[in-house]
Amino acid sequence: MEDVPGTGRHPAQRRVLAVLTATQVLGGVGVATGVAISTLAAATLSGSDAVGGLAQTSAVAGAGVLAVPMARAAARRGRRAALALAYGAGTLGALVAAAAAVLDAWPLLLAGLFLFGGGAAGGLAARYAATDLSDPRHSARDLSVVVWATTVGSIAGPNLAHPADEAGRALGLAAWAGPYALAALAFGLALLGVLALLRPDPLHLSGGTVARPSPGGGWPVLRATPRARLAVASIVVSHVVMVSVMTMTPVHLNHGHASLTIVGVVISLHITGMYALSPLPGWLADRFGRIPVVLAGMALLAAASGLAALSSPHQVARLTIALVLLGLGWSFGLVGGSALLTESVPQHDRPAVQGLSDLMMNGAAALGGLAAGAIVTALSYAALATIAVGVVAPMAAALLLSARAPQPSEG
């Protein structure tokens, strides 16, 4: 890798980060708009809260499934091809979801949301693209900058959902179609930005592409690398807890007769917690190590879930605080865990292992979202949040044990 004299930074890294930052803003608008309305849209079209839980599950499952072809595309052709695949799928999925709203067909909506998950997959993959040309001493910082870039779009998305819905109705479209059309536009612009501007490709420059990925993908590397397994486990737990609790919070608020505007504000603040402070865990991970940052994330997730369990559907302020803490815990877990994973495996193995990590985190979160709807339907939202605390506890114990063991130098 060609470095800037006196630093470990490649001369193309500034441009790469600028392009990834811009496309993250657009992708964030699309993803957050879908997050804000999909649960309620599916529940309204189907008349079932359980189907409402399936909405986010479908999007998360789609993101997980797309992680595999994206990893192969990255290994063979670079990050640009992988991100283009993700945003292309997200654009198509948003258009299908808009058509489902017009046709009043909730099964078609779930199918569209599966492809819609490509937008989220692109946003997740972009964080790894940010580290391809990084100075190893600052890889967590660069990763967190791209995660932070999602803040603008993610805050705007939920708050644009209601105006987009009204604009769609004014144009003669059905309820929910307008926000999905907005998401399609955002993903489409992100796709064009990646294709036109992510040149040169950072993975090509770093030497991380290979002509033919190994048949085993990232599994052999993950099995042979304990720290990589710990990193993936922490990412999976952070994501499944966040998705499960967040997915059913709009339904919980709806039981308290909260308006779409209030739901949008709560989700917007939750997403602010996810992204706005992400440079903080990035800086802390480079300064103090990855595992302490991930441990802090587990503590935040446990506190958020505990507070949510104690909140009635009418206690909007308390639920808002819980959702902000939930987002912040996710940020610490994702940034710290992703940096730990990246530094734990050889460069030529990273695309496959990173893709496997995204597959596992989204697959687990899809199952978590599915279970969340069933738990809330059969028991309660409080029971769901209490179970989430139980999921975090063993992960925190494993991290504590690892922190006490001798470790190779980090960062």
Side-chain angles (χ1 to χ4, degrees):
M1 183 187 301
E2 180 186 356
D3 291 343
V4 175
T7 75
R9 192 179 202 185
H10 193 283
Q13 177 70 341
R14 185 180 300 276
R15 174 180 173 82
V16 167
L17 289 179
V19 173
L20 293 173
T21 297
T23 55
Q24 282 290 87
V25 171
L26 293 167
V29 169
V31 171
T33 301
V35 167
I37 70 167
S38 291
T39 300
L40 293 177
T44 301
L45 293 178
S46 67
S48 167
D49 285 349
V51 173
L54 286 175
Q56 191 64 23
T57 300
S58 296
V60 172
V65 170
L66 280 167
V68 176
M70 285 174 62
R72 291 175 179 168
R76 292 175 176 170
R77 300 174 57 194
R79 297 292 187 187
R80 185 168 61 253
L83 293 175
L85 173 62
Y87 289 126
T91 303
L92 177 60
L95 293 173
V96 172
V102 172
L103 297 173
D104 194 18
W106 66 264
L108 183 61
L109 174 63
L110 296 183
L113 290 174
F114 184 86
L115 291 172
F116 188 96
L124 291 171
R127 77 192 193 278
Y128 290 127
T131 67
D132 290 333
L133 302 177
S134 290
D135 179 341
R137 296 169 298 177
H138 304 299
S139 60
R141 180 199 63 188
D142 288 352
L143 185 153
S144 67
V145 165
V146 172
V147 174
W148 171 85
T150 315
T151 306
V152 177
S154 295
I155 293 174
N159 292 293
L160 290 173
H162 184 60
D165 189 47
E166 290 186 333
R169 293 178 193 236
L171 294 173
L173 297 178
W176 315 111
Y180 285 123
L182 172 65
L185 176 62
F187 289 149
L189 291 173
L191 170 62
L192 293 176
V194 165
L195 290 174
L197 301 175
L198 195 59
R199 301 172 183 273
D201 191 286
L203 196 58
H204 281 306
L205 288 181
S206 72
T209 52
V210 295
R212 184 175 299 173
S214 63
W219 285 110
V221 179
L222 198 59
R223 285 196 299 266
T225 315
R227 280 169 66 81
R229 292 199 301 271
L230 184 70
V232 171
S234 65
I235 292 170
V236 168
V237 169
S238 299
H239 201 55
V240 73
V241 168
M242 185 277 291
V243 169
S244 299
V245 176
M246 178 273 295
T247 295
M248 298 312 297
T249 299
V251 174
H252 188 56
L253 287 166
N254 191 50
H255 290 162
H257 306 291
S259 67
L260 181 60
T261 299
I262 290 177
V263 172
V265 169
V266 172
I267 295 299
S268 178
L269 291 173
H270 162 68
I271 296 173
T272 301
M274 290 174 65
Y275 298 114
L277 295 180
S278 55
L280 174 62
W283 178 81
L284 291 172
D286 284 334
R287 178 68 177 84
F288 299 106
R290 287 34 168 154
I291 290 178
V293 169
V294 180
L295 263 172
M298 295 302 123
L300 288 164
L301 289 170
S305 300
L307 184 60
L310 299 174
S311 302
S312 77
H314 300 284
Q315 293 176 309
V316 176
R318 183 181 292 183
L319 282 167
T320 301
I321 294 171
L323 266 286
V324 171
L325 291 175
L326 188 74
L328 192 59
W330 176 88
S331 180
F332 272 67
L334 184 80
V335 170
S338 299
L340 179 62
L341 178 63
T342 297
E343 73 178 13
S344 298
V345 298
Q347 188 174 47
H348 64 275
D349 289 321
R350 286 175 186 171
V353 176
Q354 291 164 348
L356 178 60
S357 172
D358 284 353
L359 168 63
M360 294 175 69
M361 69 181 281
N362 284 301
L367 293 175
L370 181 63
I375 290 169
V376 170
T377 300
L379 299 173
S380 66
Y381 177 80
L384 169 67
T386 301
I387 292 170
V389 177
V391 172
V392 169
M395 186 70 245
L399 287 162
L400 284 170
L401 290 174
S402 178
R404 292 178 179 178
Q407 303 288 349
S409 62
E410 298 185 88

